[in-house]
Amino acid sequence: MQPIPTGLIGYGTAGAVFHAPLIAAAPGLRLTAIASRRADDIQRDFPEARAYENAQSLLADPAIDLVVIATPNDTHAALAREALQAGKHVVVDKPFTLEAAEAEALIALAERLDRRLTVFQNRRWDNDFLTVRRLVDDGRLGEVAYYEAHFDRFRPEIKAGWRETDVPGSGLLYDLGAHLIDQALVLFGMPRAITADVTRQRAAAKADDYFHLVLDYGTRRAVLHASVLVRDPGPRYLVHGDGGSFVKHGIDGQEAALREGRRPGGEGWGDDDPALFGRFTDADGTVATIDTLPGRYTAFYDEVASAIRDGSALPVDAREARDVIRVIEAAQISARERRTVVL
């Protein structure tokens, strides 16, 4: 079969570092066109792709079947709507939209037009999360009582770019929160309530740069935490159940590899440093090292291509991505009103 002609809207960090290399690495897709004012960068990196000055020109190209939206968060909903109305299948970078109602409307539109719609929640394929998910799914931890996930960094200086400005969709909760929330929902489903602390800790910050979320699953708690003022991070994951505990340090290296210009796939791609393998302690106190499963960002676009070709399941159901936005909205209310919000 011929690869699916794919157009990418946006060539900032999301488009250039993540989407373009992953699309190019997918055998079932062909990176046909990119819409961005960075024509020189596009020519240098992907000379085989046509460069369009704006999204509308790319959407008008009848040769493109799949459109990937990698633009600032507050443009996602409108561009996804335009792409669907132009007859394209659509991938939206996370977060799906800024409001759950927008996500619901897009899902209904995609169903009405018989187009495939999905969201790039790439950190489902982090090597550390894949390992946690396997341990939870295979029952080795028993009934999980406590789950804690961190996405901590050390960035005391304010970075240039819209993510650190006071605009809709900026800040850490929409950025890293969309990843941590999605992972928790994959493991445990929607919580019954959420208590959130979301704030700005750096003096010059114009967008939230810290959050601490507690998701209520009855007797289970899921704690999701991110900060940009952590010089010496603790464990990335802590999972405790009546069958034992799992503790994992370090972070998946696929993003770092992509930022360094490495192309996805090949020997060693997604592998973890053995020094960072997690520790499992069973109910009897026996300690074992758990080899980290390889990370697989390439799986996302492989599954997108299959879903368009043969109708198989999309890698991320758009309703699941909508639920991430529902949790973000509830967290915003909880933090603003200093109360627990029931979902």
Side-chain angles (χ1 to χ4, degrees):
M1 292 185 178
Q2 291 296 314
I4 297 166
T6 302
L8 171 63
I9 300 176
Y11 205 65
T13 298
V17 173
F18 289 95
H19 291 281
L22 290 169
I23 294 166
L29 304 179
R30 182 175 71 252
L31 185 55
T32 304
I34 301 173
S36 171
R37 291 189 295 270
R38 300 178 177 179
D40 291 343
D41 294 342
I42 295 168
Q43 176 63 32
R44 178 196 65 218
D45 299 337
F46 296 96
E48 69 280 7
R50 292 191 296 277
Y52 286 109
E53 289 189 358
N54 55 61
Q56 288 65 41
S57 297
L58 185 148
L59 294 176
D61 187 339
I64 294 172
D65 293 330
L66 170 66
V67 167
V68 177
I69 296 167
T71 54
N73 295 345
D74 60 352
T75 67
H76 287 184
L79 285 171
R81 186 182 309 111
E82 288 183 53
L84 289 168
Q85 291 171 337
K88 316 299 186 184
H89 304 288
V90 178
V91 171
V92 185
D93 193 41
K94 65 80 204 162
F96 186 7
T97 57
L98 300 190
E99 300 175 2
E102 294 174 324
E104 196 66 57
L106 290 173
I107 292 166
L109 179 61
E111 290 178 347
R112 186 164 70 250
L113 298 176
D114 193 27
R115 298 291 87 185
R116 310 311 299 272
L117 171 66
T118 188
V119 179
F120 186 67
Q121 292 285 358
N122 60 301
R123 291 196 175 272
R124 291 189 184 191
W125 291 272
D126 275 1
N127 56 26
D128 43 18
F129 179 70
L130 288 171
T131 306
V132 169
R133 186 175 184 180
R134 182 184 65 180
L135 290 170
V136 171
D137 289 348
D138 70 14
R140 190 166 180 182
L141 290 157
E143 186 68 22
V144 174
Y146 182 83
Y147 168 87
E148 184 173 336
H150 283 250
F151 211 141
D152 294 324
R153 295 169 167 172
F154 187 66
R155 293 180 177 175
E157 303 299 326
I158 307 298
K159 293 183 66 177
W162 61 266
R163 285 182 174 84
E164 300 248 37
T165 60
D166 186 14
V167 298
S170 65
L172 214 59
L173 184 60
Y174 273 113
D175 186 15
L176 304 185
H179 288 307
L180 294 184
I181 293 167
D182 180 68
Q183 291 178 344
L185 300 193
V186 166
L187 293 175
F188 308 119
M190 282 290 284
R192 68 182 191 180
I194 182 170
T195 307
D197 181 15
V198 183
T199 192
R200 304 174 188 175
Q201 292 191 321
R202 293 170 297 177
K206 292 181 169 55
D208 58 89
D209 58 11
Y210 168 96
F211 66 78
H212 187 88
L213 314 181
V214 181
L215 279 55
D216 179 346
Y217 288 95
T219 57
R220 176 187 297 133
R221 293 291 184 270
V223 174
L224 313 178
H225 181 97
S227 170
V228 296
L229 293 176
V230 179
R231 176 68 279 182
D232 185 12
R236 177 150 163 80
Y237 292 100
L238 301 98
V239 192
H240 305 298
D242 57 16
S245 295
F246 180 68
V247 179
K248 175 74 174 71
H249 289 75
I251 189 168
D252 180 281
Q254 292 175 93
E255 176 178 346
L258 288 166
R259 287 182 180 275
E260 291 167 2
R262 290 176 53 194
R263 289 300 174 96
E267 185 177 355
W269 181 266
D271 286 353
D272 196 14
D273 181 347
L276 297 175
F277 286 176
R279 184 180 72 251
F280 174 74
T281 305
D282 70 17
D284 295 325
T286 303
V287 179
T289 298
I290 304 296
D291 291 7
T292 306
L293 296 174
R296 298 185 292 113
Y297 286 176
T298 52
F300 178 85
Y301 277 113
D302 287 341
E303 292 181 28
V304 167
S306 295
I308 293 171
R309 289 290 192 200
D310 57 33
S312 59
L314 286 161
V316 176
D317 190 306
R319 291 174 180 81
E320 296 171 345
R322 171 208 59 197
D323 288 344
V324 171
I325 307 306
R326 289 178 58 201
V327 174
I328 288 176
E329 288 179 318
Q332 291 171 326
I333 294 170
S334 173
R336 184 171 62 247
E337 300 181 2
R338 299 181 179 275
R339 66 180 177 90
T340 297
V341 174
V342 175
L343 289 160

